[in-house]
Amino acid sequence: MQSKQENLLKADIIRAQGIRDNIPAIQKDCVQFEQSLFPASSGYSAVRSELGATAGKSGIQLEDLAFKRTEISSRGITEVAVDATVNGNYKSV
């Protein structure tokens, strides 16, 4: 009969093997996500356009939009935070 400790260790090994086996799929998903991002050359206008369209469909007004860039050099990408000021009724906002 196996001890409780042995059972826990075997479960840890199985869990680690599952993680290792999933790494290629996770890497593929990350690459696919990064490729889906807007290119820097047109990103601001594309985001502005999408937010404007969404605001219009929601019945609100997009009054102000500001972008703040943060370089993430270790990943070779730039994070862009978006601050938006909108005006509309509570339910629409």
Side-chain angles (χ1 to χ4, degrees):
M1 198 171 191
Q2 294 180 343
S3 73
K4 185 175 182 180
Q5 183 67 22
E6 288 174 339
N7 288 336
L8 289 172
L9 290 172
K10 284 184 180 184
D12 285 343
I13 291 169
I14 291 169
R15 195 168 32 257
Q17 288 171 333
I19 291 169
R20 184 189 62 211
D21 292 344
N22 286 327
I23 288 176
I26 293 167
Q27 288 173 323
K28 181 181 174 188
D29 288 346
C30 289
V31 168
Q32 187 177 18
F33 169 74
E34 286 183 4
Q35 290 174 345
S36 73
L37 300 173
F38 294 119
S41 61
S42 63
Y44 294 113
S45 60
V47 170
R48 187 178 302 275
S49 177
E50 277 196 29
L51 288 175
T54 301
K57 289 177 188 173
S58 300
I60 61 174
Q61 294 176 334
L62 185 59
E63 294 187 350
D64 187 34
L65 198 56
F67 299 95
K68 180 185 176 217
R69 298 171 48 104
T70 303
E71 298 292 328
I72 304 176
S73 58
S74 64
R75 298 285 297 150
I77 61 174
T78 303
E79 175 185 72
V80 179
V82 180
D83 281 326
T85 303
V86 296
N87 187 8
N89 67 40
Y90 184 78
K91 184 178 179 183
S92 295
V93 173

